[in-house]
Amino acid sequence: ERVSGEIDRQLQGSQIGPRSSDRPDLAADYPLLPSRWRFWQEVMQAVDVSGTSRQVRNSLRTVQNALTATARLPLGHVIPADFIFGELRQGLVQSGQLLGEVDALITGEHAAGDPESAQRSSLLALVFLLSRLDPSRRRDLGLHATPATLADLLISDLHSGDGGLRTRIPALLEGLVGRGKLIAVDGEYRMQTGEGREWNAQYQAALGRIGGDESRIVPERETRLKTAVGAVVKDLKLVQGVSKTPRLL
């Protein structure tokens, strides 16, 4: 009851967000929020071509492992959605859905051991999992790899709310973009591939060369300024004197 506001805020507007029918099961399902369990189901269905991870025993094992990981935390902590990545990781690697270079990007962050690196690793894991959902299915569910969605999936302490996480996540994501691990497309984030990183490096190098080339920038700036001013000036209707003689500016 005391943290109902934070629970109801999770993934609002999506098809897997909080529902009134969840309330009778919240205490029994704790520390797994129903919205996150629905997210896990969507992910497992998307990545498991054999169907084994959706079997009851495997689903129970995943939940049991999550309970073990959070059992000693104070009351009010819930299981973050990226926990499922660790459970599925080996199968994803074996099936070729998780390429070695992408796996290294995600696990490499976590290896640093500090809280901010762990958060970056969690963000990368969630962006990857969201990318495994079929694009049309992702649109139907209203799930997008945006800072707001990623924060909802990562918050683990319902009493403290986001604890500043929602304000930190945009900077963490931009930092990952700057390091070539993510790419921002239309407000969403995607994993950066090897080809993408190579292209981005070439792009940044070309951008740097152009940025320092005054002989190219000055005439380009002059041309664009003249065009912009001309577009405004041509629509000005000026008249002069009693005779209302039209004049061009």
Side-chain angles (χ1 to χ4, degrees), residues 183-205:
I183 184 170
V185 181
D186 298 330
E188 294 188 52
Y189 292 87
R190 302 176 187 174
M191 298 299 299
Q192 181 70 283
T193 62
E195 292 81 0
R197 285 194 298 276
E198 183 179 344
W199 180 92
N200 188 61
Q202 294 176 354
Y203 170 79
Q204 293 297 334

Side-chain angles (χ1 to χ4, degrees), residues 217-237:
I217 290 177
V218 171
E220 177 70 17
R221 181 168 55 224
E222 185 176 332
T223 299
R224 293 192 180 203
L225 182 59
K226 285 182 177 179
T227 301
V229 172
V232 175
V233 168
K234 71 176 183 180
D235 294 326
L236 293 178
K237 307 298 183 184

Side-chain angles (χ1 to χ4, degrees), residues 47-122:
V47 304
D48 186 21
V49 292
S50 64
T52 55
S53 71
R54 283 172 284 159
Q55 294 174 353
V56 173
R57 69 167 60 88
N58 290 320
S59 295
L60 287 174
R61 183 183 300 114
T62 297
V63 175
Q64 172 67 18
N65 291 340
L67 291 172
T68 302
T70 57
R72 296 188 181 278
L73 295 174
L75 185 66
H77 282 73
V78 291
I79 302 167
D82 67 295
F83 181 86
I84 194 69
F85 174 79
E87 296 294 298
L88 299 175
R89 178 176 167 245
Q90 184 176 356
L92 291 168
V93 171
Q94 291 175 347
S95 66
Q97 297 182 71
L98 177 59
L99 300 178
E101 62 173 317
V102 176
D103 184 38
L105 288 178
I106 298 172
T107 57
E109 286 291 339
H110 203 282
D114 60 281
E116 191 169 286
S117 296
Q119 289 175 351
R120 288 195 295 265
S121 178
S122 296

Side-chain angles (χ1 to χ4, degrees), residues 116-214:
E116 191 169 286
S117 296
Q119 289 175 351
R120 288 195 295 265
S121 178
S122 296
L123 288 170
L124 289 169
L126 286 175
V127 170
F128 170 77
L129 292 175
L130 285 166
S131 73
R132 301 315 301 167
L133 300 180
D134 181 83
S136 60
R137 178 63 177 165
R138 196 164 62 242
R139 284 193 298 270
D140 291 342
L141 291 172
L143 286 175
H144 308 284
T146 61
T149 296
L150 296 170
D152 283 345
L153 291 170
L154 278 186
I155 286 172
S156 59
D157 185 356
L158 298 179
H159 284 298
S160 66
D162 65 9
L165 186 63
R166 285 190 171 90
T167 57
R168 291 196 306 273
I169 278 182
L172 291 173
L173 290 169
E174 287 306 309
L176 290 168
V177 170
R179 294 165 57 196
K181 293 197 171 189
L182 289 178
I183 184 170
V185 181
D186 298 330
E188 294 188 52
Y189 292 87
R190 302 176 187 174
M191 298 299 299
Q192 181 70 283
T193 62
E195 292 81 0
R197 285 194 298 276
E198 183 179 344
W199 180 92
N200 188 61
Q202 294 176 354
Y203 170 79
Q204 293 297 334
L207 189 64
R209 287 194 301 271
I210 294 172
D213 187 356
E214 284 295 315

